[in-house]
Amino acid sequence: MKPVLHSLQDSLLGQALRGADPAVIVGFQLVHIVGLLLLLTGVLLLALRLFNLGLRAQSTAEVAGIAGPLQNWGLAAAALSGFAMFTSNAVVYANNPALQLKLLLLAGAVLLQLTLVRRLLKKPAIGALPAAVASTSLLLWSGTALAGRAIGFV
Amino acid sequence: MPGAIEELAQAIESSSLSVALAESALAFPLIEGAHLLGLALSLGLLAVADLRLLGFVLRKAPAAQVLDQLRPWIFTGFALTFLTGGLLFWAEASRIIFNPAFIAKLVLTVLALINATLFETRLAPRLIEWGEQVRLPARVRFAAVASLSLWGGVLVTGRLIPYLS
């Protein structure tokens, strides 16, 4: 693992970001937070619909039609900017417990999204399953954001 | 005037709530996290409402119906955002009161709230008249663009606060 981390932070991207103007880092932070908000908004929209708490006049498919792109573009922006910031100091970041927790929660959230959430959107289920999946997804994504917020504090 | 503001900020920061927040290792990041989640609820869902007003999403549904369904959640989100934002300010009042990013954020917030109040009192009650129209009158679209840009500005200047202190 260690050689990979070293080669990441010695890569062109890693070196460029380490020596970069603070304004560039701020730019990456802004892309990261906007991406995160888009992603969370998509998760929230879908959760509101699956819980029957909001947008009840729309079908789940209609809500998923907005939530899907928000989640995909949001995740792409957050993941790319996050990866770039990670390369600037990969060895130190990899040992940060908050980041480790964040990556674990992120993996769980993406896995749930690709399996149960996707299946639920294709074939709507009745009973408690939609709400259970929506709340687990919301918890995992919120946890990812919270753990991310803690990276600078631990 | 700056002297009075500074004194007030100092007084806030020496209050017991402020000291408790500053001394707790967990409180500050947790409140920041809650502030972020509040933003997804408030600004995120508000952006969806604005995009409907502009005719970009949920075109088949009447704008009034979309807004009525989202409004309670947006207000809940703003309650959470303002409460946690107030606590974060309370914890470090004297350190950020003259921070240019913080001042810009406050000004933009006030402008965004004026825009929201005007929209809610003058335009929202009339949305029902425009029924299922995808393309709403220019003043409605203007309010939506103003909302998206002003709250976007609030988000960006808010994130800049730690970099300009």
Side-chain angles (χ1 to χ4, degrees):
Chain A
M1 195 63 193
K2 221 159 180 186
V4 179
L5 294 171
H6 274 288
S7 56
L8 263 181
Q9 73 179 33
D10 294 335
S11 67
L12 276 179
L13 180 66
Q15 285 182 14
L17 283 172
R18 216 166 23 258
D21 191 90
V24 176
I25 307 298
V26 175
F28 277 97
Q29 295 267 17
L30 285 175
V31 173
H32 199 61
I33 194 171
V34 170
L36 175 67
L37 283 179
L38 293 177
L39 166 62
L40 284 177
T41 303
V43 177
L44 270 173
L45 277 174
L46 206 54
L48 286 178
R49 183 65 195 87
L50 291 176
F51 265 108
N52 262 325
L53 287 172
L55 296 176
R56 262 175 295 194
Q58 278 66 42
S59 67
T60 305
E62 263 178 290
V63 176
I66 316 172
L70 279 174
Q71 285 176 312
N72 294 340
W73 288 105
L75 181 62
L80 288 175
S81 55
F83 177 74
M85 290 189 282
F86 177 79
T87 61
S88 71
N89 214 346
V91 178
V92 171
Y93 278 136
N95 285 311
N96 184 306
L99 182 67
Q100 292 169 351
L101 178 63
K102 173 181 180 162
L103 291 177
L104 198 66
L105 291 167
L106 173 67
V110 172
L111 192 69
L112 186 71
Q113 185 72 33
L114 294 177
T115 54
L116 281 175
V117 177
R118 181 171 283 187
R119 214 165 75 190
L120 210 57
L121 294 179
K122 266 194 200 138
K123 205 173 137 217
I126 41 162
L129 185 67
V133 172
S135 46
T136 311
S137 167
L138 199 55
L139 276 177
L140 286 170
W141 286 116
S142 310
T144 307
L146 279 175
R149 206 57 252 189
I151 293 172
F153 290 92
V154 296
Chain B
M1 185 63 176
I5 294 176
E6 200 164 347
E7 264 174 45
L8 182 66
Q10 297 277 5
I12 289 175
E13 213 175 294
S14 48
S15 68
S16 50
L17 176 63
S18 178
V19 173
L21 287 173
E23 281 180 355
S24 162
L26 261 183
F28 202 80
L30 272 180
I31 297 171
E32 268 202 328
H35 194 59
L36 185 63
L37 297 181
L39 283 177
L41 209 49
S42 54
L43 298 193
L45 295 183
L46 181 58
V48 174
D50 286 332
L51 290 176
R52 171 58 190 92
L53 293 178
L54 291 171
F56 289 129
V57 298
L58 294 173
R59 291 153 152 263
K60 275 185 273 172
Q65 182 207 57
V66 174
L67 263 65
D68 287 346
Q69 294 186 93
L70 291 176
R71 196 175 278 111
W73 298 104
I74 295 173
F75 282 163
T76 307
F78 272 111
L80 181 61
T81 311
F82 278 104
L83 178 72
T84 49
L87 285 172
L88 292 172
F89 171 73
W90 216 253
E92 44 179 27
S94 77
R95 269 163 291 164
I96 65 167
I97 191 90
F98 293 120
N99 181 308
F102 178 71
I103 296 170
K105 175 178 180 166
L106 276 191
V107 172
L108 289 170
T109 304
V110 170
L111 292 175
L113 287 175
I114 292 173
N115 179 57
T117 311
L118 288 175
F119 174 80
E120 282 293 302
T121 53
R122 309 253 174 114
L123 297 174
R126 300 186 53 198
L127 278 179
I128 205 102
E129 290 170 30
W130 298 306
E132 304 203 1
Q133 281 180 31
V134 172
R135 194 175 166 82
L136 292 161
R139 53 191 185 282
V140 175
R141 283 179 283 134
F142 176 81
V145 171
S147 166
L148 285 171
S149 0
L150 288 168
W151 289 116
V154 170
L155 181 71
V156 170
T157 47
R159 191 65 194 86
L160 289 179
I161 293 173
Y163 294 99
L164 295 181
S165 54

